[in-house]
């Protein structure tokens, strides 16, 4: 692990627990590379949790310290980082990095040390490990792989006349593979004929040939399962080529980040895509967090709103803290046992975990972006440029503008 530089100084909080060593919590986070726009806001959420916790006396009468490293959005760094955290830094507890492709390579290290592990936005990571001390901080629910696109296909199937054909394009990285596997299940469930189903390399930068191939396939509906930079590239290519399927979107990671919303501006109009939280779901707890986050975002040079990963970066540490406080312990076996049996209280609501550490209920949303004008930040703060077209009961705010071309007008 030569050359690794710690991304955060280990600063002790107020001396609320004198003569006691702090509880050290280790993690990696994508602070550079293609996942950094989301990783950096998650880390700010975690740091706000650290500050709040220490101001309130810490955990078990001890201060808390986050020990973190930049994984550079590179899966190959993860085994070394978590080995260092556990064997060299001697952290007491570990939590996961952000993203499926980052969490998976850390799992063997964590499992070998029998540590409890909460992954941040990893899709079906534990479906191949079945590790009983893993918990997933992602609202995909028990039916993980289809969850990212189930609302997309529900909305498409509700149109009259119902579209008949679907094209699937997906990155060869793990999240996209899992999401597209779920999309195939959803297509079959609703009776869509798949006329195009191809992957592309995760390091693709030119999306024009892919969009031209999709145009040639001439599917009614197009489902894209992508990571941030390819989601942006695909959106730009769709607009540049004037491609107009009847519906497009689904599982495009990255479009949730404010930096990409501002970059794309009106190019987003008409796309239907997943979100995990929108301002229509705000509560006093989430509002209080976001007020703090947004006041710090400028100095930290992170996403100015924090809706996508800032909130969840705070909440997944609340899950850990709930287990520590309830068990009065930092014993990994006891923490995992408690989380399997009890809901955790967070700013994002109460969360219960089931099989493989997945949520017992899905909280996934599908939204359609519309009426975006220019690149001004203010239009993304509320609900005026997005409509929730599917989600948990009571969250839907409107219907799909269909076909896609109509939302571009």
């Amino acid at each position: 692990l030569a050359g690794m530089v710690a991304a955060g100084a280990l600063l002790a909080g107020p001396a609320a627990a004198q003569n006691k060593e702090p509880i050290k919590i280790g993690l990696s986070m994508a602070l550079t590379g293609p996942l950094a726009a989301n990783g950096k806001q998650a880390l700010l959420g975690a740091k706000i949790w650290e500050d709040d916790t220490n101001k309130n006396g810490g955990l078990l009468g001890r201060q808390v310290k986050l020990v973190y490293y930049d994984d550079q959005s590179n899966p190959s760094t993860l085994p070394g980082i978590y080995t260092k955290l556990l064997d060299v830094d001697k952290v007491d507890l570990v939590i996961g990095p952000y993203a499926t492709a980052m969490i998976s390579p850390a799992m063997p290290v964590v499992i070998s040390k029998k540590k409890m592990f909460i992954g941040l936005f990893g899709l079906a990571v534990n479906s191949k490990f079945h590790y009983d001390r893993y918990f997933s901080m992602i609202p995909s629910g028990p039916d993980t792989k289809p969850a990212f696109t189930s609302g997309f296909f529900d909305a498409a199937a509700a149109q009259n006349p119902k579209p008949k054909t679907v094209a699937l394009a997906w990155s060869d990285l793990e999240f996209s593979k899992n999401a597209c596997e779920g999309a195939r299940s959803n297509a079959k469930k609703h009776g869509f004929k798949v006329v195009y189903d191809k992957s592309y390399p995760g390091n693709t930068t030119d999306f024009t040939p892919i969009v031209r191939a999709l145009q040639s396939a001439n599917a009614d509906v197009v489902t894209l399962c992508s990571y941030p930079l390819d989601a942006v590239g695909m959106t730009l290519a769709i607009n540049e080529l004037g491609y107009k399927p009847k519906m497009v979107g689904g599982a495009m990671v990255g479009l949730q980040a404010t930096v990409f919303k501002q970059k794309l501006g009106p190019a987003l109009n008409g796309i239907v895509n997943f979100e995990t939280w929108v301002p229509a779901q705000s509560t006093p707890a989430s509002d209080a967090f976001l007020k703090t986050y947004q006041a710090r975002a400028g100095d930290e040079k992170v996403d100015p709103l924090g809706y996508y990963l800032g909130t969840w970066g705070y909440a997944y540490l609340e899950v850990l803290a709930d287990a520590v406080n309830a068990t009065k312990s930092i014993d990994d076996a006891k923490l995992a046992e408690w989380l399997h049996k009890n809901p955790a209280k967070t700013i994002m609501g109460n969360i219960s975990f089931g099989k493989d550490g997945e949520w017992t209920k899905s909280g996934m949303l599908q939204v359609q972006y519309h009426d975006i004008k220019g690149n001004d930040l203010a239009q993304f703060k509320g609900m005026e440029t997005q409509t929730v077209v599917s989600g948990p009961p009571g969250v839907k705010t409107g219907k799909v503008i269909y076909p896609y071309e109509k939302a571009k007008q």
Side-chain angles (χ1 to χ4, degrees):
L1 205 61
M4 188 192 311
V5 179
L10 309 183
L11 301 176
Q18 293 182 358
N19 303 318
K20 291 184 179 180
E21 285 293 315
I23 294 173
K24 294 194 290 185
I25 303 169
L27 68 151
S28 83
M29 192 57 69
L31 304 180
T32 56
L35 298 176
N38 291 333
K40 288 193 287 187
Q41 60 173 301
L43 181 63
L44 178 53
K47 288 160 72 175
I48 293 171
W49 173 86
E50 179 185 32
D51 291 345
D52 287 350
T53 301
N54 285 334
K55 287 174 186 175
N56 291 317
L59 295 178
L60 308 182
R62 296 163 63 183
Q63 294 288 285
V64 296
K65 286 183 180 179
L66 297 179
V67 184
Y68 56 91
Y69 297 97
D70 177 12
D71 60 40
Q72 304 163 45
S73 307
N74 183 350
S76 69
T77 66
L78 271 299
I81 288 175
Y82 278 88
T83 298
K84 183 177 189 298
L85 286 167
L86 290 164
D87 291 349
V88 179
D89 298 319
K90 303 291 186 183
V91 297
D92 300 290
L93 301 165
V94 286
I95 55 175
Y98 156 64
T100 311
M102 304 298 116
I103 299 168
S104 290
M107 288 288 282
V109 175
V110 172
I111 292 170
S112 71
K113 303 289 186 179
K114 299 182 179 179
K115 301 297 289 183
M116 190 184 83
F117 202 43
I118 305 172
L120 184 61
F121 278 39
L123 179 58
V125 168
N126 207 22
S127 61
K128 61 184 177 184
F129 297 103
H130 304 294
Y131 180 51
D132 64 358
R133 296 183 186 178
Y134 175 83
F135 298 90
S136 184
M137 198 59 171
I138 186 172
S140 48
D143 200 11
T144 52
K145 294 178 182 179
F148 268 74
T149 57
S150 59
F152 179 87
F153 280 94
D154 289 346
Q159 303 309 309
N160 187 16
K162 176 187 170 184
K164 297 179 180 179
T165 56
V166 62
L168 308 173
W170 43 285
S171 162
D172 62 7
L173 296 174
E174 187 167 358
F175 162 80
S176 301
K177 291 178 183 178
N178 289 343
C180 202
E181 182 181 328
R184 291 187 199 98
S185 298
N186 289 323
K188 183 177 180 180
K189 171 185 172 183
H190 287 290
F192 287 97
K193 180 181 179 182
V194 178
V195 296
Y196 180 98
D197 186 352
K198 293 184 180 180
S199 68
Y200 54 87
N203 60 356
T204 298
T205 56
D206 181 7
F207 295 91
T208 298
I210 299 170
V211 174
R212 289 197 187 282
L214 290 168
Q215 282 180 312
S216 296
N218 198 32
D220 296 326
V221 173
V222 176
T223 303
L224 303 173
C225 303
S226 55
Y227 259 6
L229 298 187
D230 37 316
V232 172
M234 198 78 80
T235 302
L236 291 172
I238 287 168
N239 279 266
E240 288 165 3
L241 294 174
Y243 180 35
K244 295 174 182 176
K246 292 177 181 176
M247 263 182 73
V248 59
M252 302 173 74
V253 175
L255 301 189
Q256 306 78 13
T258 313
V259 62
F260 295 134
K261 287 179 178 176
Q262 287 188 277
K263 176 182 174 66
L264 292 168
L268 278 174
N269 285 332
I271 287 179
V272 178
N273 195 46
F274 84 91
E275 291 271 4
T276 58
W277 186 89
V278 294
Q281 297 174 284
S282 67
T283 65
S286 64
D287 287 346
F289 165 78
L290 288 168
K291 182 178 180 180
T292 301
Y293 173 97
Q294 290 167 11
R296 292 177 58 172
D299 289 341
E300 300 267 356
K301 296 181 172 56
V302 302
D303 186 287
L305 299 181
Y307 293 166
Y308 184 48
L309 262 295
T311 48
W312 296 107
Y314 189 98
Y316 89 136
L317 277 155
E318 286 186 294
V319 171
L320 177 65
D322 236 17
V324 169
N325 287 327
T327 60
K328 295 180 171 54
S329 170
I330 55 171
D331 179 88
D332 292 276
K334 291 179 180 178
L335 299 176
E337 182 181 12
W338 188 86
L339 282 175
H340 276 299
K341 295 178 179 179
N342 299 277
K345 298 179 178 64
T346 80
I347 60 169
M348 308 302 280
N350 293 350
I351 300 167
S352 295
F353 298 97
K355 183 182 177 183
D356 284 339
E358 301 292 350
W359 288 28
T360 56
K361 294 181 181 179
S362 174
M364 294 299 293
L365 314 173
Q366 284 282 329
V367 308
Q368 185 176 42
Y369 307 113
H370 57 82
D371 296 311
I372 298 170
K373 297 176 177 65
N375 308 92
D376 181 59
L377 173 64
Q379 65 189 321
F380 301 114
K381 289 184 177 180
M383 295 299 296
E384 59 267 29
T385 57
Q386 60 182 335
T387 298
V388 180
V389 299
S390 71
V395 179
K396 184 176 177 180
T397 62
K399 296 181 179 180
V400 174
I401 302 170
Y402 183 90
Y404 166 72
E405 182 176 8
K406 188 176 179 182
K408 303 295 289 181
Q409 297 172 354

